[in-house]
Amino acid sequence: MKQESLLLQNAKQEAPLSEDFEQQLALLLQTCKQYLNQVDEGLIERAYHLAHWAHRKDTRKSGEPYFYHPIQVAQIVAKDICVDDVSVAAALLHDTVEDTVIDLAQIRAEFGEEMASIIDGLTKIDAVFKDRAISRAENWRKLILHMATDMRVIMVKFADRLHNMQTLDARNREAQLRTAHETMEFFVPLAHRLGVFSIKSDLEDLCLKITDREKFNLIARGLEQKKESRNTYIEKFMNPIKQQLLEAGFEFDIKGRPKSIFSIYKKMERQGKTLDEIYDLFAIRIVLHRGGSKGKEDCWRVYSLLTDWYKPLPERFRDFISMPKSNGYQSLHTTVIGPEGKRVEIQIRTREMDDVAEHGVAAHWKYKEGTTGFKQNVDEWYAWVRDAMSSSQAENADEFVKDFRLNLFTEEIHVFTPKGDVINLPKNATPLDFAFHIHTDLGMRCTGAKVNGKMVPLSYKLSNGDDVQVLSSERQVPNSDWIKYVVTQKAKSRIRAWINEKRRKAVEAGREILDKRAKKIKTEITDQLLDKYARYFKFSNAQEMLYQIGTESFDPDDLVKQIQKGLVAEEREREKEPPTIEINAKVYEHYLGTAQHTGHSSGLIVNGQLQTNIAYQFATCCNPVRGDEVFGLVSVGRGMRIHRVTCKNAPDMYLNHSDRIMRIEWPLTGDESFISGLKVIGADRVGMINDISAVISKTMKINIRSVLVSGEDGVFTGTFVVDVKGLAQLEQLMSRLRSVEGVQDVYRFEGGKG
Ligand code: MN
């Protein structure tokens, strides 16, 4: 055995483990042995002792010793992500370089280069999220950069984030909301793309619990209430199948699990349905014990046995076994008609496939065989991410992030090259996407394509199983319409880069033409002048004006003439530009001192202090009322806007302008009223509107500002804008309206723009 280093000897001597921490170590080793292929116990013990010593004086916000956090993170890495022992040790050490006296050189000396590079990546990712001033696009870029060195960096980070989300209760509300929005933006899409499904789904549920606790509780309670009837149903459904599987000699497990709260929430939002109206609250999974190619055959045999008994819905069948998703996911999916005519979703897979589905990429460490194709896939993915990141232009960073995130989530199709190779593309991909996927040059020169032997336009949407042959010509150049035809990140960023380059050249040409004219009249055309006259000629900006000159759609002489005129006039009346103000805490203080109040008599509590002399407006995207949980967003010129924390724009504000967010509370008293919109849905019956109006104005004595009603196919939809004193009154009104005969649902209407 290796001689123990001085660092470690010292750590053990100075900070001997308490009985509790001895026990935690034993538990961790036990988890590792249970879930990992190989465990270097010495490595984990050394990391444990060193991290324990490094954090010996630290406590968490909850007051418990800090070291519990790395222990829990290590547990998650071992059990839920199942990577390897190095990752478990890295999890124990993940905060040491950032927060303690230990530095990277010591990690390197003690554990070697591999460990040092993982810890370095983790430390750098932490730094990215601490820097509140950088944009989300920059955040993405840095995150990818640091995780791309070693997959285990992001795996440990997932576990760290999960444990932080689980222990958010001890943090203040701002930190909770910021962390939740950050998690939804960055970690959930990555966990999805890397196939770490169990973590992804836990993170989503925890985020929802923070951002919309009410809906979360509503769904959680609903699922709990239906638990018994659900289990009875699953049993009734599975009994005959179970019997046959046993008779046929299969070894298997059956899991009948409710879907995640978040996925149900999404479905309710998307389809505008109540919990009762959503039929597929659970899915049944049949997991077969036998692996390898025999296991695959088993899946198909079980499928045919199942569909002999229950009638399948063919359109819901998906074969992810022959065609795995690019994150490695394999399974058969089908929906059948069960007892009582209910649709039941079934997944059939082997244990190995189930492991990959739960733990994603990491599970491939366990099943070494047959992973090269997958590893290559992940490497390719990293390559295109890096590629896309480096080719994206700063000016459309927001658009890039939007596309990029979408790309992490989209469903996939599989198509074939003329040689028969399978290519995975996102749904709605076109031959142009296909061409760019093969090679950038092929994309740029693409003139058309043959799909299954027939000519198709470039905008043709490919389907599963299509044979695609790209046609190209040396003389072809892209055109700006192409951007509309493509869905993949790579194609988009390449076409955009080309358009930008073409545009840049035209702008340059425009500038040259203009400068020549200006020379003739001996005037220098400064950038300020350009900006000013771009406004005068109603261009969106100076670049656009130069572009139009460069492409000969705007006559530079018009501009030059106007500039000459203007220069004379300018001497006399100099235009006074309002100074641009940078937004920061100081400006906010200044603004507090000078702002007028808007007539809301009670003021607001801003960052813990009552402010009565402050200009603010209630955002029309979410229409807060007294009692709602809210925050303020400061912006120059528009004062402060008050939004509800559940506002659909909240994630964007937390991610892009977190330095401008103010904590807002309502003062105890106040006599202002608030405009609020209610949507009432129900049966379209005679007298419905009268009954609703009566409840609002007669029973509740609430002023109605406007009413908009429609009746279609027997469904009544009414929007009522009312003045209310606050949340309590609004909720009382909503509950009264729900008991009006024929009313099915009442909810707050969130319309308008930010
Ligand atoms: Mn941590």
Side-chain angles (χ1 to χ4, degrees):
M1 208 181 108
K2 198 179 140 192
Q3 178 81 30
E4 203 158 80
S5 71
L6 278 177
L7 182 68
L8 209 62
Q9 281 176 26
N10 176 54
K12 282 183 175 173
Q13 215 162 46
E14 221 180 290
L17 298 184
S18 65
E19 209 175 298
D20 181 31
F21 280 135
E22 283 283 5
Q23 219 166 9
Q24 295 282 347
L25 174 58
L27 275 176
L28 180 61
L29 288 171
Q30 200 185 318
T31 312
C32 289
K33 277 184 270 186
Q34 188 180 345
Y35 289 93
L36 304 178
N37 271 355
Q38 288 172 349
V39 187
D40 178 350
E41 292 187 38
L43 169 70
I44 288 166
E45 275 172 26
R46 281 188 293 144
Y48 192 91
H49 281 287
L50 191 62
H52 172 260
W53 169 77
H55 289 298
R56 69 196 180 282
K57 289 175 187 149
D58 307 334
T59 50
R60 292 202 93 195
K61 289 253 158 53
S62 59
E64 62 172 18
Y66 190 86
F67 190 48
Y68 280 115
H69 166 64
I71 295 176
Q72 288 315 312
V73 176
Q75 282 278 4
I76 296 170
V77 169
K79 192 171 154 213
D80 297 323
I81 307 186
C82 312
V83 196
D84 62 356
D85 44 8
V86 176
S87 320
V88 176
L92 289 167
L93 294 163
H94 81 272
D95 277 332
T96 53
V97 171
E98 172 91 9
D99 297 336
T100 77
V101 293
I102 291 188
D103 62 24
L104 209 55
Q106 285 170 308
I107 299 277
R108 190 174 293 117
E110 185 68 40
F111 301 99
E113 189 54 52
E114 190 185 16
M115 180 71 80
S117 98
I118 296 176
I119 303 295
D120 189 36
L122 285 163
T123 310
K124 283 176 174 156
I125 287 179
D126 273 355
V128 171
F129 286 104
K130 276 188 185 145
D131 187 351
R132 306 259 310 264
I134 65 177
S135 69
R136 73 209 288 194
E138 192 58 18
N139 259 329
W140 264 115
R141 193 191 305 272
K142 290 192 167 164
L143 180 64
I144 297 289
L145 188 76
H146 299 317
M147 66 176 240
T149 48
D150 190 320
M151 182 83 73
R152 290 171 292 188
V153 171
I154 195 68
M155 294 297 158
V156 175
K157 195 64 213 170
F158 283 150
D160 181 33
R161 187 45 72 129
L162 180 61
H163 188 243
N164 284 337
M165 288 296 302
Q166 285 166 344
T167 50
L168 263 188
D169 282 349
R171 309 283 307 277
N172 68 39
R173 189 66 180 136
E174 274 61 47
Q176 291 181 354
L177 285 165
R178 201 178 57 243
T179 311
H181 290 310
E182 221 174 68
T183 304
M184 283 308 285
E185 163 80 12
F186 299 102
F187 296 104
V188 166
L190 282 175
H192 176 91
R193 182 57 181 75
L194 297 173
V196 196
F197 189 75
S198 65
I199 300 264
K200 177 205 167 196
S201 148
D202 285 352
L203 285 177
E204 282 174 336
D205 280 3
L206 288 163
C207 286
L208 183 64
K209 200 170 157 190
I210 298 289
T211 55
D212 202 339
R213 188 172 293 252
E214 218 172 290
K215 288 219 176 87
F216 178 89
N217 287 338
L218 184 91
I219 298 170
R221 268 201 310 271
L223 284 179
E224 189 56 38
Q225 280 166 9
K226 292 173 202 280
K227 194 173 168 185
E228 220 171 292
S229 65
R230 186 169 60 233
N231 287 341
T232 320
Y233 184 84
I234 291 173
E235 232 170 87
K236 192 164 154 195
F237 178 90
M238 277 315 299
N239 274 342
I241 302 297
K242 224 184 213 167
Q243 203 53 42
Q244 295 187 46
L245 289 178
L246 286 172
E247 275 164 24
F250 287 108
E251 284 182 64
F252 60 95
D253 296 311
I254 289 171
K255 303 176 187 176
R257 287 199 303 190
K259 298 212 169 146
S260 81
I261 293 179
F262 183 81
S263 69
I264 293 168
Y265 164 82
K266 269 307 214 206
K267 209 165 252 181
M268 287 167 67
E269 295 280 293
R270 214 173 26 231
Q271 304 175 355
K273 284 184 174 166
T274 62
L275 190 61
D276 289 321
E277 293 169 306
I278 293 183
Y279 67 90
D280 47 352
L281 292 175
F282 66 91
I284 292 178
R285 187 178 300 164
I286 303 172
V287 179
L288 298 157
H289 290 188
R290 190 150 67 152
S293 58
K294 290 269 181 244
K296 277 186 194 174
E297 282 167 29
D298 288 352
C299 291
W300 285 105
R301 283 169 56 207
V302 170
Y303 172 78
S304 85
L305 207 143
L306 176 86
T307 48
D308 279 349
W309 193 267
Y310 295 117
K311 185 178 165 338
L313 297 168
E315 71 276 11
R316 300 287 297 265
F317 173 75
R318 297 297 292 273
D319 169 15
F320 293 114
I321 290 184
S322 325
M323 300 276 190
K325 291 190 192 181
S326 55
N327 58 19
Y329 180 91
Q330 285 187 296
S331 188
L332 292 181
H333 288 193
T334 185
T335 299
V336 300
I337 309 285
E340 297 153 42
K342 283 188 190 166
R343 294 165 165 215
V344 179
E345 257 182 73
I346 316 273
Q347 300 160 352
I348 305 166
R349 51 175 86 148
T350 65
R351 233 186 219 170
E352 212 171 296
M353 295 173 192
D354 195 46
D355 239 10
V356 173
E358 293 287 308
H359 311 303
V361 173
H364 292 278
W365 260 271
K366 244 172 138 176
Y367 305 102
K368 297 277 185 204
E369 83 268 24
T371 62
T372 34
F374 176 69
K375 167 119 183 23
Q376 193 190 340
N377 190 319
V378 168
D379 287 346
E380 264 171 31
W381 183 69
Y382 269 155
W384 88 243
V385 167
R386 275 192 300 255
D387 209 35
M389 290 277 171
S390 61
S391 67
S392 77
Q393 312 266 320
E395 61 236 69
N396 49 40
D398 272 346
E399 207 152 326
F400 169 74
V401 167
K402 216 177 81 201
D403 293 345
F404 177 72
R405 290 188 77 239
L406 272 181
N407 251 304
L408 293 179
F409 279 122
T410 37
E411 258 188 68
E412 288 171 351
I413 56 166
H414 312 269
V415 296
F416 296 95
T417 67
K419 280 185 197 154
D421 294 333
V422 179
I423 304 273
N424 288 359
L425 288 172
K427 206 175 151 188
N428 292 332
T430 62
L432 210 44
D433 286 301
F434 179 92
F436 274 99
H437 180 95
I438 304 282
H439 198 281
T440 301
D441 280 345
L442 188 61
M444 300 298 255
R445 310 215 177 288
C446 178
T447 53
K450 279 185 179 172
V451 170
N452 305 326
K454 284 195 190 113
M455 283 295 297
V456 297
L458 286 177
S459 58
Y460 179 85
K461 288 195 167 59
L462 297 172
S463 321
N464 256 327
D466 278 347
D467 285 310
V468 187
Q469 185 193 349
V470 174
L471 308 172
S472 67
S473 151
E474 281 301 311
R475 279 182 307 235
Q476 174 72 316
V477 287
N479 85 50
S480 39
D481 281 343
W482 281 16
I483 200 85
K484 290 182 234 153
Y485 304 154
V486 297
V487 295
T488 53
Q489 187 59 49
K490 185 175 179 188
K492 268 194 186 166
S493 70
R494 290 298 146 82
I495 297 168
R496 263 199 211 115
W498 184 85
I499 294 172
N500 287 340
E501 179 58 19
K502 201 176 131 194
R503 196 179 161 81
R504 193 185 60 76
K505 281 190 182 143
V507 169
E508 233 168 53
R511 180 86 220 199
E512 249 168 59
I513 296 171
L514 194 58
D515 282 345
K516 268 186 209 151
R517 305 286 160 99
K519 233 181 196 166
K520 278 190 197 152
I521 58 159
K522 299 199 168 56
T523 315
E524 196 201 341
I525 299 183
T526 61
D527 287 348
Q528 280 101 320
L529 273 180
L530 276 181
D531 283 340
K532 184 175 162 186
Y533 286 97
R535 277 200 297 275
Y536 175 86
F537 285 106
K538 304 241 183 320
F539 288 108
S540 55
N541 55 43
Q543 298 278 309
E544 180 61 28
M545 182 167 70
L546 290 173
Y547 174 74
Q548 302 264 349
I549 294 173
T551 53
E552 296 178 8
S553 3
F554 176 59
D555 187 350
D557 286 337
D558 289 353
L559 173 62
V560 172
K561 263 183 230 151
Q562 205 56 42
I563 289 179
Q564 270 178 311
K565 254 197 247 167
L567 284 175
V568 180
E570 204 167 89
E571 284 301 308
R572 275 170 280 157
E573 41 178 317
R574 183 164 297 174
E575 204 185 46
K576 234 181 170 182
E577 290 277 331
T580 46
I581 309 172
E582 209 186 320
I583 297 158
N584 57 31
K586 268 191 199 135
V587 177
Y588 173 66
E589 272 163 36
H590 161 82
Y591 149 80
L592 268 190
T594 55
Q596 300 287 311
H597 82 86
T598 54
H600 290 276
S601 50
S602 55
L604 287 174
I605 299 170
V606 182
N607 289 341
Q609 273 187 313
L610 181 66
Q611 305 285 357
T612 49
N613 189 25
I614 165 182
Y616 58 86
Q617 272 179 294
F618 294 106
T620 49
C621 43
C622 53
N623 288 312
V625 307
R626 165 184 298 281
D628 277 329
E629 191 183 4
V630 291
F631 66 93
L633 185 80
V634 182
S635 55
V636 163
R638 297 207 303 173
M640 180 156 63
R641 296 255 165 162
I642 313 294
H643 295 265
R644 285 157 66 189
V645 298
T646 53
C647 174
K648 61 179 185 295
N649 297 319
D652 185 53
M653 291 181 267
Y654 270 90
L655 292 166
N656 282 327
H657 311 291
S658 69
D659 49 337
R660 286 162 38 189
I661 284 179
M662 300 287 151
R663 184 156 53 91
I664 302 290
E665 286 149 293
W666 302 93
L668 283 176
T669 54
D671 50 16
E672 67 268 50
S673 53
F674 300 84
I675 300 175
S676 187
L678 286 181
K679 202 152 220 163
V680 183
I681 295 168
D684 192 15
R685 62 168 175 85
V686 177
M688 184 66 136
I689 180 143
N690 284 342
D691 290 355
I692 293 173
S693 307
V695 169
I696 302 177
S697 49
K698 291 208 185 104
T699 319
M700 296 287 299
K701 306 247 179 308
I702 287 172
N703 178 40
I704 303 180
R705 282 182 173 249
S706 77
V707 181
L708 191 72
V709 192
S710 74
E712 222 173 279
D713 298 333
V715 178
F716 169 92
T717 308
T719 309
F720 298 82
V721 177
V722 294
D723 290 323
V724 292
K725 294 258 171 263
L727 188 60
Q729 195 189 28
L730 185 61
E731 281 179 344
Q732 203 186 351
L733 172 63
M734 287 166 70
S735 102
R736 290 250 163 107
L737 288 176
R738 281 194 190 101
S739 58
V740 169
E741 191 202 328
V743 168
Q744 278 152 10
D745 204 5
V746 180
Y747 55 89
R748 282 170 78 176
F749 168 71
E750 295 167 23
K753 294 178 292 188

